[in-house]
Amino acid sequence: MDCMQQTEYNIRGTEKGHCRLKLVDFQAHENHISHETEGLSKKHLVVRRGKPFKVTLLFGSRPWIPYAERLVLEVRLGNMYERIPVQLSDKWSDPQGWSAKIYPGDIHSHSATIHICSPVLSSVSLYHLIVHIVTLQSTKSYLVGTFVLLCNPWLKDDPVYMPLDAQIQEYVKSDYGMVFMGTHLNISARSWLFGQYEPGVLEACLQLLQVSPNHLSDKNKDYSLRADPVYISRVICAMVNCNDDLGILEGKWQGSYKDGVKPTEWSGSADILHRWVSSKCSPVRYGQCWVFASVLCTVMRVLGIPSRVVTVFNAAHDGNGSVKIEEYYSSSGEKLNLSKDSIWNFHVWVECWMRRPDLGGEFDGWQVVDPTPQEKSAGVYCCGPCPVAAIQGHCLRTPYDCTFIYASVDADIVRMIVREGQVVGRKVDTESVGQLIYTKSVGSDRPDNLTHTYKSKKKEKPRDTLRSPGGREGLVMMSTSAEGLVMRSAQRGGDVSPSSLGETSPSLTVTINLDKVPSLGDSIIMSVTVKNQSSSPRVLMEHVNAQLKEYNTSPQKSFWKSQQKVHIQPDEVLKLRHTIPPSEYGSVLVGDDIVNVAVVIKDVKTEERVLDAQEFSISSPQITIEIEGGDSIQMKKEHTAHVSFINTFTKTLKGAVLTVEGSGLLQGKHEAKLVLLQPGDKIEKTVSITATSPGTKLLKATFSHSDSPSVDSRSFHKVSVVTK
């Protein structure tokens, strides 16, 4: 690596008495340490813009004569180039342009060390370096090799400058992250390897830029714009999905995944990028939001732009810009799939750190960039960068895609009960959307709560006027407080007075809550609280419904229902308890599945109805992973890992399988199988692991059995690999 192979280029003039260039030492080891780029590539010198790096020229048998033989460097980017006269000086030139210096102490008879500095706003790319030796009579030119130029978050004048070194270590240099998933009531965390130091990853990131539609349509324009992290983030965001281009990942959210990899099986970005390169830029199957976001985070960190993966719990998908999400329920509490909009139990995107000179200083800092293909932005499936400050400040016309992202974290949910094609009640929930926003803490696996950075304490009206949704033909919607849902039958075609619509305060309220978040194998225990705020006793019908759902879609068919008649006295608060035993959900639910439960209370006489709903995820049983001697292991040395699972269920599990795998630690999958796993018994597997490269690795273990529709539990265990 240090001594690059040389080729002669554009030779002209006579060679008689001409100093010849023998080799160029790119000082890779020293430059990579100085530029914080160690491990990013074994093929290329990788340096950061605006900071000097040095190369040493080694001359042939005849010494170089500095004042008779001028040195001129040429850096090429496509068909654009810049010629840089090498100065014999100890003073630096204007940082806005390229410069090359040889300090007096760096000149020797057969060698010279040149300090090269790029402008702070240089384009991120792979450059070619040419050395010209110029005399009065002739010029001899050498194409000496390539180098990669990245953004420089350590440099104050770089738009991605980040002042705290601990944050740079976390958001640029760290190859390990956490993705938070599940529901706000039961948050699960999974490890992710960004893999920027894996062989070939930097080259894949550079190739991504080269095959973008922006580059293919106008190479020079694209090269010029690559100095801007706003532009880079937008291009990369579009290229992580494959909807418009030769992008990395194809998304899929339902159906069979047999012709690819199920999104939950991925644990790192390097494998995905390697597959994309080896398939000649064919999309890798399959991704979902956390996979898209994690791959984007990898690419941005490689390019030197500080980035972090962020999870929004109860994220709204608002396709029409109304900042309202409509949900429909049947009169028995079953959630219906009637709306184009939806609430995702969690959605994952990326925040990238940069200045926004196009907007002004108030919008500098973290920017939302979302590569999951949902809606088009300027005709392309990408989203952002959008300043987090603009979202918090309700500046909805701020580029890019602020209205859509604002709705994701602060939309209202309008829940309606539909009976015989008509809305018989309506409730507005202004609190649930975006009620928790998490990222990994600096230097820790604990979550860092970012909710306050997106949402002001008091919900304000957006500054910009938004398009309102049109009315619904044949539906009567009633305005009520967020605490209750007033519902009355509305006859088609007739005049409806305000009093008949129940526009007074609701006389019934209901809430549904879990006693605790259940683990797989536990009973699901719910409490329904009904309050009669009228002065009359009432006869009520209670309908409770439970449905399995995906995190980003409406629920499937109900797997459990209950209904009963109850009596309630004036001003009475009635508590009703319901239990769903494991025997009634065991064939439907597995670990980390999400359940929607809803209750509808109906006054038998007046037909007034109230509704409440709750969504939660089922906790997985735990898999234990232990490494003898601790989680820090030595490279190329064999270590032993013990993996086990205890059957905490009350029933015997048939066809139990415990699977262990780990890229860079294990070859293939290792399994332990038991025909029957009795309650309280353990299944275990001991494996020998050997790390082939330094950095962070993951051991992944899964447990499944024949009575379950899919994997019951999965676990990821972080392993730190050191060279000594």
Side-chain angles (χ1 to χ4, degrees), residues 657-678:
V657 180
L658 181 65
T659 304
V660 186
E661 56 185 308
S663 178
L665 296 171
L666 281 170
Q667 291 292 327
K669 295 183 179 181
H670 297 247
E671 292 183 342
K673 296 182 178 182
L674 284 177
V675 176
L676 297 173
L677 184 60
Q678 302 291 340

Side-chain angles (χ1 to χ4, degrees), residues 645-720:
F645 175 87
I646 297 175
N647 180 8
T648 57
F649 301 105
T650 56
K651 67 175 184 178
T652 299
L653 302 179
K654 300 176 183 177
V657 180
L658 181 65
T659 304
V660 186
E661 56 185 308
S663 178
L665 296 171
L666 281 170
Q667 291 292 327
K669 295 183 179 181
H670 297 247
E671 292 183 342
K673 296 182 178 182
L674 284 177
V675 176
L676 297 173
L677 184 60
Q678 302 291 340
D681 283 0
K682 179 191 293 186
I683 182 172
E684 52 190 335
K685 181 69 177 178
T686 298
V687 295
S688 295
I689 59 174
T690 303
T692 55
S693 61
T696 308
K697 312 293 179 187
L698 287 180
L699 264 183
K700 181 174 76 171
T702 59
F703 174 78
S704 60
H705 58 93
S706 58
D707 294 331
S708 175
S710 63
V711 170
D712 254 6
S713 184
R714 57 172 47 85
S715 180
F716 298 88
H717 191 80
K718 180 171 67 171
V719 181
S720 299

